Amino acid sequence: MDVPKEYVESAFSQLLGCRLQRLDTGVAEVALALAPHLRNRGQKLHGGAIFSLVDITMGLACSASHGFDQQSVTIECKINYLRAVSEGEVRCTARVLHAGRRTLVVDADVLQDDKLVAKAQGTFAVL
């Protein structure tokens, strides 16, 4: 899917260092490298950075589902953290499970290589 850069990047996603890897109808994949400013006190990738990566990727999947001419916002999101990340890069893949007229339900996996780091599900409102 060919979309102008300003539709897929925000100042916040750039601040984190998110990089769009794939965008198809209802699917988005975004990578994030573990940088020093993303570490928690234990020197692992901060859970808030992982959650932000999930929310950004889910939002892109929604836009890729309903079109970038409409906006959607997070209503709720639940995440399970399954393993810590000490180095390297993670990738989040988000898929729209249900695209209604008013809401979308999205599922996301965060992986490092082939290992599941976090699993999330969210609901988005179409504005």
Side-chain angles (χ1 to χ4, degrees):
M1 179 177 285
D2 193 23
V3 180
K5 187 176 179 178
E6 61 270 13
Y7 287 176
V8 296
E9 289 185 0
S10 68
F12 185 63
S13 69
Q14 291 174 359
L15 177 70
L16 290 176
C18 293
R19 298 179 329 279
L20 181 64
Q21 302 296 299
R22 179 170 61 114
L23 193 61
D24 295 315
T25 304
V27 179
E29 183 178 308
V30 177
L32 178 65
L34 177 53
H37 69 281
L38 299 177
R39 291 184 183 274
N40 63 19
R41 290 179 291 132
Q43 299 306 306
K44 309 293 189 224
L45 180 58
H46 195 288
I50 294 170
F51 190 90
S52 293
L53 171 65
V54 164
D55 193 51
I56 288 164
T57 309
M58 285 181 165
L60 287 168
C62 288
S63 293
S65 177
H66 59 55
F68 284 84
D69 58 330
Q70 284 187 289
Q71 289 186 326
S72 52
V73 295
T74 311
I75 295 174
E76 63 82 34
C77 187
K78 182 226 184 291
I79 190 166
N80 291 101
Y81 299 98
L82 304 170
R83 70 176 56 241
V85 176
S86 299
E87 60 184 35
E89 178 176 276
V90 294
R91 286 181 183 240
C92 179
T93 302
R95 291 179 180 79
V96 173
L97 302 176
H98 168 75
R101 288 183 304 113
R102 295 181 146 160
T103 61
L104 299 100
V105 177
V106 187
D107 179 76
D109 293 328
V110 179
L111 293 116
Q112 185 174 41
D113 300 318
D114 61 344
K115 294 180 178 153
L116 190 61
V117 171
K119 179 79 176 170
Q121 186 171 359
T123 307
F124 287 70
V126 179
L127 301 181

